[in-house]
Amino acid sequence: MNLSSPSASSASSHPLAPYGWDEGWEAEFAPYAEQRLLPGRVVRVDRGLCDVVTPAGTVRADTEFVVPRDPMKVVCTGDWVAVDPEGSDPRYVRTLLPRRTAFVRSTSSKRSDGQVLATNIDHVVICVSLAVELDLGRIERFLALAMSSSSGEALLHKSALSWESGAQPLVVLTKADVVPHATTLGHLVQDVEAVAPGVPVLPVSAQRGDGLDVLEAVLSGGTSVLLGQSGAGKSTLANVLLGEEVMDVQATRDMDGKGRHTTTTRNLLVLPGGGVLIDTPGLRGVGLWDAESGVSQVFSEIEELAAECRFHDCAHVAEPECAVRRAVESGELSERRLESYRKLLRENEWIVAKTDARVRAERRQEWKRKGAEGRAAMEAKRGRLR
């Protein structure tokens, strides 16, 4: 007996099923199907045009009708869209379907806009090269973004990769073949696991094939995005997973292990073992964007310690009965990790304040309150000295 519903059967046999089409997308697209538009997934965006894979094949479409003022709503690789049917010339993207998830960073502009790097993703693969010294602070930064949660229609307005609602982070340590001893490799994995609570850490070697079977099994279940610095081995890894030389690869510099940006656009590709992969250009900067929940998850042990502090607004600097400082002094918590936590919290607060009028007003009130308290304390001190 076949217990599957007609819609489920229809979705699984749909030409776009290898790209992630399912019952949910079918339901979202229903109103546009009545308008005789075609469903499609954006596989590449380039200067106002995008390549969209549709049931009729890959088409080049103009995004003129979906160019918003809000950069968070710009068409991005991974989006599901409705496009003009065959025979239209030129063809246009008519609308974006609501995003399920998105990975967003802040730009380097003074306005601190958000930049959407990939959408509708199930796995975030953070690639870290073992050919250079581990930068634990950078890994924490990537994870804070990857763990920030939001979902549904809100993703068109704010950041996030929703870890709690389905999108899973994974740290992949590439170029494991350059580590000569298994014991050393084990220690490196443990170092990363210590700053990535609850996140799988997988060492892989594209050259020897180590760990690739595990990675392929994980990525076969949905859409994944590769993130990391230039020279982290993303394009090499993508080529191995795809089974062909799709992405250009260049050698890294011996002095610092960094490479050039061999990938210049974000490309969506179907994996032969199932699943969809989005490769991204190397990221020089990874600015936080509304990542408070992500910071809390990455530094969960500090948040737990902070709950034991005497003061609920303890800054963990010199306050009496500070459980966090006590953990640092005992060696339970490293000073580096505490400073990284403070740095990311400050940066995120600044970004939020730049983009949220209510938060800006609250910060001004807090500064005024502290200023008044400081002046009152000085007056009291002068009164005692008279």
Side-chain angles (χ1 to χ4, degrees), residues 103-108 113-115 138 141 145 283-291 344 347-348 351:
F103 190 94
V104 183
R105 68 168 179 174
S106 68
T107 66
S108 58
D113 293 327
Q115 180 189 20
R138 180 168 287 270
R141 176 177 290 272
L145 276 177
L283 300 175
R284 289 191 179 92
V286 192
L288 297 187
W289 180 264
D290 197 8
L344 294 182
E347 180 180 330
N348 189 69
I351 289 293

Side-chain angles (χ1 to χ4, degrees), residues 193-207:
E193 288 176 336
V195 302
V199 177
V201 178
L202 178 65
V204 303
S205 168
Q207 183 176 353

Side-chain angles (χ1 to χ4, degrees), residues 44 59 102 113 119 176 183 185 190 201 267 272 282 291 327 329 363 366 381:
R44 178 188 171 102
V59 303
D113 293 327
T119 64
T183 302
L185 181 60
Q190 290 175 359
V201 178
N267 303 281
E329 291 163 5
R363 288 192 70 182
E366 181 68 10
K381 183 177 180 180

